[in-house]
Amino acid sequence: MKTHVTFVNPPYPQSAHQHPPFIPLGIGYLAAVLEKAGYQVDVIDCQAMKLTYDQFREELVKRNPDVVGMSATTLIYKSGGECARIAKEFNPKIVTILGGSHVSFWDENALKEYPELDIVVRKEGENTLLELMKRIEAGKPYYDVVGTTCRNGDEIVKNPDRPYIEDLDSLPFPAHHLFPLDYLNKFGVVIFPVYTSRGCTFWCNFCSAVRMFGRGYRMRSPENVVDELEHLVKDFGAQQFTFYDDAFSVDQNRVREICRLIKERGLNIKWDCETRVDMVDRDLLQTMKDAGCIAVWFGVEAGSQMVIDAMGKGYKLETIKNSFKTAQDIGLMTVASVVLGFPEETPETLRETTKFIEELNPDDVGYYIATPYPGTPMHELVTQKGWLKITDFNRYDTATPIFETPYISSEQLKEMREKAFQSFYIRPSYIWKMWRKGGVYGKSATRTALAHLRRKLKSAF
């Protein structure tokens, strides 16, 4: 019988601000690649099923795998380490593997901090994991596999990076059948994430994704993308999608072709995407809307030109205004993604940002506190400056100030963020507008607004 692999989506730390669970596509791709090669594969999604460590142990015992592979962002890195410890406690012969954005840049530290961890897979993992599995199954040494950092006895060996996969169409579609989709239902709908590309052409100072997948924009073909949409509609009853690319519209002609194929194949679907404000125009946004797009998440990041320039974004405030107005005129929902507390931030620039967001009048906003992920220039800067105050990765939840600069205190940042949220959400006209819009995003925004209202009323008494 082929080697049995159990993939694990580790639980969120209980103390952290927890994001809604979503389908972990990284695991989905890895599982699909191994299934295609004939391995026995299953998934324990602790986040979707809200499993405790004890419940995770019970699930692991039921499966009794040979290999346990975990994927972890910075926030769930320590949870991944704990899952490795539990796996080794259950069966010391289990091979434990940890991958994901955090350990790609924290690899040697991870192996030192967690003796129960055998292998770290860095960056893009499909081909690396497949080679590892062949070695493990054959009982051969694996300490020299490219793209890994491994133990070789008492020595930690860091092997060279593996070249990126250039032909993304060669990858099988993610193994959605392995996930507990019933647990991912949101307001009666499961939103299926889709990656159509990897990498980015930009080099923003706070972003680990481009350092994970490279500064080259590798794209799936429009036909391959729409084949996946069609597969999810037919086999899983999918009705709504979100394109997870960091900048969906880098190649506008490719987006137009994706939209043409959606309509040509008669796919009656809804979808949203995230992109840059300088990568859309009226014609493209209208084409997207005609093909089922209902919302666009724009990376606004700041309302201060000085802060935007310091981030390395490379666009002007006027461009942001124009893109929002165009999308709103066409009838698309707009969401502003904002980073507060970047190293150059001051109370004055933060006020500029909140005022700017109110002027944009988006349908929703995400105010995220600047978080210095390992591998990013921002992490290097705040470490060198001695500004880093919190090293417990369980608190890297984008709602907790991790560093403090001479320009704004952590307390002031938290207070101003909460006031910005309240100013945006606690408006009767806004709550009424989003309630009337309905759908997943309208209902979600309404719920968020009411939560901020309750929090404000509670603090007043």
Side-chain angles (χ1 to χ4, degrees), residues 208-224:
S208 61
V210 66
R211 287 145 183 100
M212 176 82 172
F213 291 110
R215 199 176 182 178
Y217 195 64
R218 294 169 289 134
M219 298 174 285
R220 295 168 59 189
S221 68
E223 292 77 13
N224 185 255

Side-chain angles (χ1 to χ4, degrees), residues 234-249:
K234 289 180 177 178
D235 294 349
F236 295 92
Q239 304 169 25
Q240 192 162 337
F241 301 87
T242 182
F243 289 116
Y244 261 18
D245 311 58
D246 291 310
F248 178 62
S249 58

Side-chain angles (χ1 to χ4, degrees), residues 144-248:
D144 59 343
V145 170
V146 173
T148 67
T149 306
C150 298
R151 300 184 193 280
N152 181 19
D154 295 331
E155 181 187 6
I156 292 177
V157 179
K158 182 166 184 167
N159 296 296
D161 284 345
R162 183 176 292 269
Y164 290 115
I165 299 168
E166 292 301 327
D167 180 14
L168 295 181
D169 285 4
S170 67
L171 292 172
F173 299 148
H176 291 90
H177 60 284
L178 298 178
F179 295 110
L181 297 179
D182 290 344
Y183 288 84
L184 295 162
N185 189 302
K186 188 174 184 180
F187 298 110
V189 178
V190 176
I191 300 178
F192 286 80
V194 176
Y195 277 122
T196 78
S197 65
R198 292 182 180 179
C200 187
T201 56
F202 294 87
W203 204 244
C204 302
N205 290 332
F206 56 79
C207 180
S208 61
V210 66
R211 287 145 183 100
M212 176 82 172
F213 291 110
R215 199 176 182 178
Y217 195 64
R218 294 169 289 134
M219 298 174 285
R220 295 168 59 189
S221 68
E223 292 77 13
N224 185 255
V225 172
V226 182
D227 283 348
E228 182 180 350
L229 299 179
E230 198 166 25
H231 153 68
L232 291 170
V233 169
K234 289 180 177 178
D235 294 349
F236 295 92
Q239 304 169 25
Q240 192 162 337
F241 301 87
T242 182
F243 289 116
Y244 261 18
D245 311 58
D246 291 310
F248 178 62

Side-chain angles (χ1 to χ4, degrees), residues 405-424:
T405 72
Y407 317 119
I408 187 169
S409 71
S410 296
E411 270 315 304
Q412 193 171 19
L413 177 58
K414 283 198 294 185
E415 288 173 8
M416 293 187 74
R417 175 178 183 258
E418 182 57 31
K419 286 179 180 178
F421 270 132
Q422 291 180 2
S423 176
F424 180 82

Side-chain angles (χ1 to χ4, degrees), residues 172-409:
F173 299 148
H176 291 90
H177 60 284
L178 298 178
F179 295 110
L181 297 179
D182 290 344
Y183 288 84
L184 295 162
N185 189 302
K186 188 174 184 180
F187 298 110
V189 178
V190 176
I191 300 178
F192 286 80
V194 176
Y195 277 122
T196 78
S197 65
R198 292 182 180 179
C200 187
T201 56
F202 294 87
W203 204 244
C204 302
N205 290 332
F206 56 79
C207 180
S208 61
V210 66
R211 287 145 183 100
M212 176 82 172
F213 291 110
R215 199 176 182 178
Y217 195 64
R218 294 169 289 134
M219 298 174 285
R220 295 168 59 189
S221 68
E223 292 77 13
N224 185 255
V225 172
V226 182
D227 283 348
E228 182 180 350
L229 299 179
E230 198 166 25
H231 153 68
L232 291 170
V233 169
K234 289 180 177 178
D235 294 349
F236 295 92
Q239 304 169 25
Q240 192 162 337
F241 301 87
T242 182
F243 289 116
Y244 261 18
D245 311 58
D246 291 310
F248 178 62
S249 58
V250 167
D251 186 331
Q252 295 189 16
N253 288 331
R254 187 185 71 118
V255 173
R256 289 187 174 89
E257 182 62 10
I258 289 171
C259 292
R260 187 188 72 78
L261 290 171
I262 288 173
K263 294 172 69 176
E264 182 180 274
R265 298 191 193 182
L267 296 180
N268 184 23
I269 59 175
K270 296 178 181 178
W271 55 274
D272 62 82
C273 65
E274 179 177 345
T275 195
R276 287 173 56 97
V277 293
D278 55 353
M279 288 184 171
V280 294
D281 57 28
R282 179 175 292 273
D283 177 70
L284 180 67
L285 291 170
Q286 185 65 60
T287 299
M288 289 162 53
K289 184 174 187 291
D290 292 344
C293 182
I294 58 172
V296 181
W297 297 64
F298 285 116
V300 174
E301 316 309 5
S304 159
Q305 190 64 56
M306 182 272 287
V307 175
I308 287 175
D309 293 343
M311 290 176 173
K313 296 302 296 184
Y315 50 67
K316 301 297 182 184
L317 293 178
E318 197 61 33
T319 304
I320 300 173
K321 291 179 183 178
N322 291 339
S323 294
F324 269 80
K325 185 176 187 309
T326 301
Q328 289 162 347
D329 287 347
I330 287 170
L332 289 168
M333 291 180 67
T334 55
V335 185
S337 180
V338 183
V339 176
L340 302 179
F342 195 73
E344 280 76 5
E345 189 87 87
T346 66
E348 289 72 25
T349 61
L350 201 152
R351 279 190 282 269
E352 284 180 49
T353 293
T354 55
K355 182 181 177 183
F356 184 70
I357 295 300
E358 289 173 5
E359 291 172 358
L360 291 178
N361 192 29
D363 291 286
D364 207 352
V365 64
Y367 283 122
Y368 306 103
I369 289 183
T371 304
Y373 297 115
T376 63
M378 186 165 68
H379 183 270
E380 294 173 9
L381 174 65
V382 300
T383 302
Q384 290 170 0
K385 293 280 190 180
W387 293 342
L388 192 66
K389 299 299 181 185
I390 296 176
T391 56
D392 178 2
F393 293 125
N394 279 355
R395 300 181 66 187
Y396 281 51
D397 57 4
T398 70
T400 304
I402 301 301
F403 63 92
E404 185 171 278
T405 72
Y407 317 119
I408 187 169
S409 71

